[in-house]
């Protein structure tokens, strides 16, 4: 009887602890054992075959996309620091209108250069379908609504960096489309370009649209904190008045 008890205790001591977590299962031996040479990159290769990264029109469009937000942020910050444009034009409003007009021209040039690049490079049969066309059309409609409604909500000076010229809004704009997303004008513009790329079945258009989105994302990282700082400075001045 004593032997049976001792044997049962030995078995219990050898049994696993119920609360001890199980060792993780290494499926397929981990990613190090994956044979990437057997992966199918046919679709990606076909996509890239339709893009000539050395084409002049593509390079021009790429430069225009990157240059535009860099230019208006550089000029606007310089104006905020020196007030040179306001002094030159005799009015911050007139100076802002001038910069806004230049930004509009630059955006027209960017759109034109992207259109030229898309027309210069081949269409992709995989994208040349009616459902893709309809999605592109819907994106253009949505993008246009976002851009136009943003402009109407902000006004000209609010749209074209009037904050940097000392033309500040009384309060934060919260009406449509700012009540559903941040920076709707930027993302509406991106949606327009994506729609054009889909309608044109243009792989290079997708690459350029991704570049537009990346350029806007970088611009937002600079503009957002700087604009917030401008309004904080105004609040501090009002407290001391």
């Amino acid at each position: 009887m004593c032997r049976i008890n001792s044997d049962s205790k030995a078995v219990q001591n050898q049994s696993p602890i119920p609360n001890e977590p199980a060792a993780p299962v290494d499926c397929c031996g981990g990613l190090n054992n994956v044979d990437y040479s057997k992966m199918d990159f046919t679709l990606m290769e076909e996509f890239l075959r339709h893009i000539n990264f050395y084409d002049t029109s593509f390079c021009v469009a790429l430069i225009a996309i990157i240059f535009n937000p860099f230019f208006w942020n550089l000029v606007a910050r310089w104006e905020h620091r020196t007030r040179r444009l306001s002094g030159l034009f005799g009015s911050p409003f007139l100076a802002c209108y001038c910069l806004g007009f230049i930004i509009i021209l630059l955006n027209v040039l960017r759109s034109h250069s992207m259109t030229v690049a898309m027309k210069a490079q081949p269409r992709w049969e995989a994208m040349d379908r009616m459902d893709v066309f309809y999605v592109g059309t819907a994106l253009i409609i949505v993008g246009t609504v976002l851009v136009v409604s943003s402009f109407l909500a902000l006004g000209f000076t609010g749209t074209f960096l009037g904050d940097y010229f000392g033309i500040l809004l009384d309060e934060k704009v919260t009406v449509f489309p700012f009540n559903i997303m941040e920076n709707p004008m930027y993302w509406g513009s991106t949606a327009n370009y994506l729609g054009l790329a889909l309608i044109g079945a243009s792989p290079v258009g997708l690459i350029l649209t991704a570049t537009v989105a990346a350029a806007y994302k970088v611009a937002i990282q600079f503009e957002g904190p700087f604009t917030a700082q401008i309004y904080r400075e105004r609040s501090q001045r009002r407290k001391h008045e």
Side-chain angles (χ1 to χ4, degrees), residues 129-194:
R129 308 197 315 263
M130 288 306 300
D131 55 344
V132 175
F133 179 87
Y134 290 141
V135 171
T137 302
L139 282 171
I140 291 177
I141 294 173
V142 172
T144 302
V145 169
L146 290 175
V147 171
V148 173
S149 59
S150 297
F151 179 81
L152 294 177
L154 292 172
F156 192 94
T157 56
T159 300
F160 295 105
L161 304 168
D163 318 274
Y164 294 72
F165 292 80
I167 309 169
L168 305 183
L169 300 173
D170 294 331
E171 57 185 4
K172 184 177 180 180
V173 177
T174 56
V175 298
F176 180 85
F178 293 91
N179 58 350
I180 62 171
M181 66 188 308
E182 295 286 337
N183 306 292
M185 182 167 285
Y186 282 167
W187 303 127
S189 176
T190 304
N192 283 336
Y193 289 127
L194 179 57

Side-chain angles (χ1 to χ4, degrees), residues 63-81:
I63 292 171
I65 291 169
I66 297 172
F67 174 78
N68 283 14
F70 172 79
F71 168 79
W72 70 60
N73 273 283
L74 183 66
V75 173
R77 288 195 178 211
W78 174 71
E79 163 62 17
H80 177 72
R81 187 176 66 254

Side-chain angles (χ1 to χ4, degrees), residues 82-170:
T82 65
R83 300 300 186 206
R84 292 289 181 84
L85 288 178
S86 296
L88 177 64
F89 288 94
S91 165
F93 286 91
L94 189 57
C96 182
Y97 294 149
C98 179
L99 178 61
F101 181 69
I102 293 174
I103 292 174
I104 291 173
L105 290 180
L106 288 174
N107 286 340
V108 170
L109 176 62
R110 177 185 61 186
S111 299
H112 174 71
S113 63
M114 290 179 66
T115 303
V116 171
M118 285 189 279
K119 289 182 177 180
Q121 301 207 27
R123 298 165 66 94
W124 189 20
E125 295 79 7
M127 294 174 61
D128 199 1
R129 308 197 315 263
M130 288 306 300
D131 55 344
V132 175
F133 179 87
Y134 290 141
V135 171
T137 302
L139 282 171
I140 291 177
I141 294 173
V142 172
T144 302
V145 169
L146 290 175
V147 171
V148 173
S149 59
S150 297
F151 179 81
L152 294 177
L154 292 172
F156 192 94
T157 56
T159 300
F160 295 105
L161 304 168
D163 318 274
Y164 294 72
F165 292 80
I167 309 169
L168 305 183
L169 300 173
D170 294 331

Side-chain angles (χ1 to χ4, degrees), residues 47-48 50-51 122-124 127 197 200-208:
F47 175 80
L48 293 176
H50 289 77
I51 303 174
R123 298 165 66 94
W124 189 20
M127 294 174 61
S202 173
V204 73
L206 296 180
I207 297 295
L208 292 174

